[in-house]
Amino acid sequence: MDFVLETKNINKYFDQPVKFHVLKDISLGIRKGEFASIMGKSGSGKSTLLYILSTMDTDYTGELFLNNELITGQKHGKLSQIRNKNIGFVFQFHYLLSEFSVLENVMLPAKKLGEKSLAEIEHDAMEKLRMLDILKLAHQRASRISGGEKQRVAIARALINNPAILMGDEPTGNLDSHNSENVFSIFKRLKEEEDLSLLIVTHDEDFAKRTDRIIQMEDGRILD
Ligand SMILES: Nc1ncnc2c1ncn2[C@@H]1O[C@H](COP(=O)(O)OP(=O)(O)OP(=O)(O)O)[C@@H](O)[C@H]1O
Ligand SMILES: [Mg+2]
């Protein structure tokens, strides 16, 4: 099977305050164009798993593959390059740089990747803003737009390097129902029109039910 993202038998322990088996034998695969959600009680290990899948946490056993390439064991510098290029990430809080314009915020990950000229990056960033229907905000300071708009800017920023997969840790957790619905529609459109793969942690059952698949976590395991 061809997976964008795949894990084999991932286990993780926390040592503090006591030794704790937080992820137990996690094996999963996300296909290209699949919109999957992760649900599970608070403390079941969703965020811990997402940190590993997004290559930010390397302290685990088992294997992680991105586009069939083994990621586990790669060096720090190579990892951040792989992450920058292949993984878009949206959090519950947007983490935009408030003093910067919307456009500058969206351009940032592409500047960091350093594969395109500034003119190209600006062009691509405007294209993402247009796609998310916030083009008119391009030159606003990030501190001066609404919460729902900030989350759309954060999605545009996550997409600027055309990642293989977009991950989110409760990206609608801080939004009212109208703005949550808006974000859901954006994700759905990205799946349908761009064949993007998405893996979204959510506590919102209505949101999860409308994704292609719900991955249910309980006590560090995936239930089948
Ligand atoms: N740095 C850490 N050190 C020790 N234990 C941790 C650490 N981070 C998380 N934990 C514990 O690991 C478990 C899983 O935490 P995690 O944040 O992954 O849960 P979650 O499913 O994302 O919960 P929520 O829905 O509340 O966000 C919890 O019991 C948590 O207390
Ligand atoms: Mg969490």
Side-chain angles (χ1 to χ4, degrees):
M1 185 71 94
D2 226 19
F3 291 122
V4 171
L5 182 86
E6 188 179 13
T7 72
K8 291 184 181 161
N9 306 102
I10 286 191
N11 281 276
K12 178 176 176 73
Y13 293 83
F14 283 120
D15 293 322
Q16 296 292 334
V18 288
K19 192 159 170 141
F20 172 52
H21 195 177
V22 59
L23 294 177
K24 300 165 183 162
D25 256 337
I26 302 285
S27 296
L28 60 79
I30 305 295
R31 286 181 298 278
K32 188 163 166 53
E34 185 176 21
F35 181 2
S37 51
I38 302 182
M39 291 200 83
K41 287 195 184 119
S42 182
S44 56
K46 305 179 297 297
S47 296
T48 306
L49 177 61
L50 225 51
Y51 271 110
I52 291 175
L53 299 183
S54 61
T55 79
M56 292 188 273
D57 180 6
T58 56
D59 182 20
Y60 61 89
T61 62
E63 291 172 324
L64 171 64
F65 298 87
L66 248 177
N67 293 324
N68 298 310
E69 182 191 359
L70 181 64
I71 299 304
T72 310
Q74 302 257 19
K75 292 206 175 66
H76 184 81
K78 178 82 193 297
L79 267 188
S80 54
Q81 195 196 357
I82 292 172
R83 183 187 318 130
N84 240 317
K85 204 174 164 60
N86 295 291
I87 302 172
F89 209 98
V90 189
F91 302 88
Q92 181 170 357
F93 302 99
H94 50 79
Y95 298 112
L96 298 179
L97 300 174
S98 55
E99 299 303 307
F100 286 58
S101 73
V102 162
L103 178 62
E104 286 165 332
N105 269 283
V106 175
M107 289 174 69
L108 222 59
K111 285 190 189 172
K112 198 173 157 200
L113 191 64
E115 284 186 349
K116 290 178 185 162
S117 71
L118 266 187
E120 281 175 292
I121 293 171
E122 181 167 334
H123 172 269
D124 291 355
M126 294 298 270
E127 193 53 36
K128 301 296 177 201
L129 291 175
R130 192 193 54 75
M131 189 168 76
L132 295 177
D133 204 22
I134 44 174
L135 190 56
K136 64 179 189 305
L137 300 178
H139 300 290
Q140 286 273 351
R141 265 162 60 136
S143 56
R144 295 193 49 188
I145 61 177
S146 77
E149 290 166 344
K150 280 178 185 157
Q151 200 55 308
R152 275 186 279 164
V153 175
I155 295 169
R157 180 183 57 180
L159 294 173
I160 188 67
N161 292 333
N162 296 316
I165 185 164
L166 182 70
M167 296 183 198
D169 198 352
E170 298 183 47
T172 62
N174 209 25
L175 301 178
D176 62 22
S177 59
H178 171 76
N179 279 303
S180 295
E181 183 55 36
N182 206 331
V183 167
F184 180 86
S185 318
I186 289 164
F187 287 167
K188 185 102 180 159
R189 188 150 52 89
L190 288 166
K191 168 205 160 67
E192 279 164 2
E193 292 173 14
E194 317 277 329
D195 210 19
L196 186 69
S197 311
L198 299 109
L199 182 59
I200 307 294
V201 169
T202 182
H203 281 288
D204 180 346
E205 198 164 350
D206 293 331
F207 182 108
K209 274 184 185 156
R210 292 186 291 155
T211 64
D212 298 332
R213 172 163 60 124
I214 301 178
I215 298 167
Q216 192 74 41
M217 285 192 75
E218 194 177 294
D219 294 332
R221 282 185 206 285
I222 288 177
L223 304 179
D224 7 61

